[in-house]
Amino acid sequence: MTGFTAEGGHGAVPTEGVPVTPDAPAGRGSWPLFEVFVRGKRGLNHVHVGSLHAADERMALLHARDGYTRRNEGVSIWVVRSTDITASSPAEKDPFFAPSGDKVYRHPTFYSIPDDVPHL
Amino acid sequence: MTAIAEAPELEAYFDRTVADDQRIEPRDWMPEAYRKTLIRQVAQHAHSEIIGMQPEGNWLTRAPSLRRKAILLAKVQDEAGHGLYLYSAAETLGADRDDLTVKLIEGRQKYSSIFNYPTLTFADVGVIGWLVDGAAICNQVPLCRSSYGPYARGMVRICKEESFHQRQGYELLLTMVRGTPAQRAMVQESVDRWWWPSLMMFGPPDSDSPNTEQSMRWRVKRHTNDELRQRFVDMTVPQAEALGVTLPNPDLRWNPERGRYDFGEPDWVEFKEVVGGRGPCNAERLAQRRAAHENGAWVREAAAVSAAKRRERAS
């Protein structure tokens, strides 16, 4: 039974002859992409939870509420156009972060203190 | 600022990351075949969630009480949300959501065969929650550890919500089997129809599933089809006993040597027919999805024009 497998959540789907490359640029009436950040509760940072499409910022907030906080997952939402985000570099771990790699003296464990000295 | 590493070096880094059970993130280098496999997997999973709203949506206006109606609405809304999380994950791989929708309604990308069966009675709402969502949970829990970060994170959210889906279904069935003989018969009849299609959700037998090996090496699939199917049967049998329903499976029996249940083979001919587009509801599901998309076109356009006007006025 070539060409089918149970991938994804609900089981068997075809795996052969399934095109995955986008055909044409998005048509008229298509909405821009927004990234969504949710503050889970007071005292926590906003955390990126995903993205959505909306016509504008106002609609993005409404959709984010319906999409990402249906069960009290948040007390505050930020939305920002995906194109407005500047990211460090292609890889998640690369030479961009090298400058902090060799500065072990920035960490408290770098310093040896006698065991009998309290509160340090 | 960043040196462009040579391809072999990038590939070695990718392989090491996956082998160490670390996550691949959207801006990481990845082999083209990995990207394509994931877009296919995530897109068709998203389509399954979206089409999956229809079988149960069929009962929204005829739910027997306000309580059941509110629960069913919340569940169908969750399916839409799951579709959104997954389309969002697919877009991090370079897919375009509008394009994915077009590929779905043109039938070029598919969705799970389970949603091509009709929901004939209200008991089907319960049985879908219990068996179909139960099977989905078996498939989805391991995907929370998929090597692709955005997909894995989406699955964590989805799995939390699926638990509500399964429990509301089981509770619905418990209520019905404690009711009249006609209600009990309705539950049994529904189980008879959904049992085998639920087992088919795990895909063809391992001996007949050539794609599994590569997907497991990439850790976008964690267990084989047969292993997941076995887990599902072992979990479900005691739940069926508690409900007092009979699973329509004459070969089903406890195997003390294996410490698991033996069960027969699903009808793979039927499976191929349904996956191939010749199931009871394939045409209807796609037609409804297409109609929803086309009937909503003016709303999407109007919102875009309105947003543009508001931006103009503000500038």
Side-chain angles (χ1 to χ4, degrees):
Chain A
M1 230 175 295
T2 24
F4 296 105
T5 198
E7 59 178 17
H10 298 89
V13 283
T15 52
E16 275 163 30
V18 180
V20 296
T21 316
D23 288 323
R28 204 157 78 93
S30 78
W31 298 339
L33 190 65
F34 289 83
E35 301 297 326
V36 181
F37 301 79
V38 172
R39 184 197 295 287
K41 57 180 182 184
R42 287 174 179 280
L44 296 181
N45 290 320
H46 284 78
V47 173
H48 182 245
V49 293
S51 67
L52 50 76
H53 286 274
D56 59 16
E57 283 74 6
R58 206 171 49 164
M59 186 194 277
L61 276 177
L62 291 175
H63 285 183
R65 179 197 64 190
D66 295 344
Y68 291 103
T69 61
R70 287 195 302 284
R71 289 180 175 78
N72 303 317
E73 291 96 333
V75 295
S76 163
I77 300 175
W78 289 345
V79 292
V80 57
R81 279 176 195 257
S82 305
T83 48
D84 286 345
I85 291 182
T86 308
S88 55
S89 54
E92 296 290 328
K93 189 185 175 194
D94 71 23
F96 185 69
F97 297 101
S100 71
D102 58 353
K103 296 181 179 58
V104 284
Y105 48 84
R106 284 180 176 170
H107 298 274
T109 46
F110 177 72
Y111 304 94
S112 53
I113 307 286
D115 288 343
D116 51 359
V117 179
H119 307 307
L120 250 173
Chain B
M1 191 159 47
T2 305
I4 304 294
E6 297 294 321
E9 202 180 303
L10 290 168
E11 184 143 21
Y13 183 68
F14 171 88
D15 289 342
R16 214 166 44 243
T17 307
V18 172
D20 288 349
D21 238 344
Q22 299 278 311
R23 300 288 174 264
I24 301 299
E25 295 296 342
R27 294 158 59 80
D28 283 332
W29 182 91
M30 60 188 87
E32 210 38 43
Y34 176 86
R35 181 187 300 277
K36 285 190 170 149
T37 295
L38 266 166
I39 292 180
R40 185 189 69 221
Q41 179 175 350
V42 178
Q44 297 195 128
H45 189 172
H47 299 332
S48 301
E49 300 283 359
I50 296 298
I51 296 288
M53 290 192 277
Q54 292 185 31
E56 290 170 286
N58 179 35
W59 284 93
L60 277 173
T61 55
R62 290 169 292 157
S65 69
L66 191 56
R67 178 176 183 270
R68 292 291 168 200
K69 185 171 184 160
I71 292 169
L72 190 52
L73 257 178
K75 181 177 190 266
V76 172
Q77 195 186 13
D78 273 354
E79 309 296 0
H82 296 177
L84 170 74
Y85 309 154
L86 292 164
Y87 283 127
S88 158
E91 285 194 300
T92 66
L93 290 156
D96 175 85
R97 180 169 167 174
D98 289 341
D99 177 71
L100 295 178
T101 301
V102 169
K103 285 192 167 74
L104 168 65
I105 60 182
E106 287 179 351
R108 296 162 68 202
Q109 292 180 343
K110 306 288 186 198
Y111 54 88
S112 168
S113 56
I114 192 73
F115 302 116
N116 288 319
Y117 291 90
T119 41
L120 304 177
T121 69
F122 193 71
D124 289 359
V125 171
V127 170
I128 287 177
W130 174 40
L131 294 181
V132 175
D133 291 328
I137 290 172
C138 276
N139 272 327
Q140 289 175 337
V141 167
L143 293 175
C144 295
R145 294 184 299 124
S146 164
S147 63
Y148 189 58
Y151 188 37
R153 292 191 286 273
M155 291 316 305
V156 170
R157 296 181 66 89
I158 289 175
C159 284
K160 279 186 197 160
E161 298 179 357
E162 290 289 355
S163 174
F164 144 59
H165 297 180
Q166 197 188 17
R167 290 174 65 108
Q168 67 81 33
Y170 196 79
E171 188 229 43
L172 190 163
L173 296 176
L174 270 178
T175 309
M176 286 185 82
V177 297
R178 287 170 187 158
T180 64
Q183 285 175 308
R184 272 194 292 282
M186 189 183 273
V187 171
Q188 182 62 55
E189 188 274 336
S190 176
V191 170
D192 290 346
R193 275 184 291 112
W194 288 97
W195 172 249
W196 288 109
S198 300
L199 291 192
M200 291 179 201
M201 285 176 68
F202 297 95
D206 293 348
S207 54
D208 214 355
S209 188
N211 293 296
T212 296
E213 205 185 320
Q214 174 67 70
S215 288
M216 289 191 50
R217 210 166 33 242
W218 276 335
R219 306 203 179 180
V220 293
K221 186 175 169 77
R222 289 286 187 159
H223 306 282
T224 69
N225 298 352
D226 286 336
E227 169 57 23
L228 291 169
R229 190 166 15 243
Q230 178 76 56
R231 269 191 209 181
F232 174 69
V233 171
D234 292 344
M235 277 173 16
T236 305
V237 171
Q239 296 167 352
E241 283 165 4
L243 271 182
V245 296
T246 308
L247 297 172
N249 196 330
D251 298 329
L252 183 73
R253 62 181 59 85
W254 178 251
N255 181 331
E257 269 169 47
R258 293 200 307 132
R260 315 191 86 167
Y261 285 93
D262 287 339
F263 54 98
E265 282 285 316
D267 178 356
W268 295 117
V269 176
E270 174 187 323
F271 170 77
K272 268 192 255 186
E273 284 294 297
V274 178
V275 176
R278 293 171 295 278
C281 300
N282 296 53
E284 180 189 330
R285 300 287 185 244
L286 266 192
Q288 194 167 339
R289 180 68 193 90
R290 177 187 286 275
H293 185 66
E294 288 173 357
N295 295 339
W298 71 270
V299 179
R300 293 191 296 277
E301 256 182 63
V305 171
S306 160
K309 274 191 185 160
R310 216 173 308 121
R311 260 197 311 279
E312 240 169 65
R313 259 182 247 130
S315 65

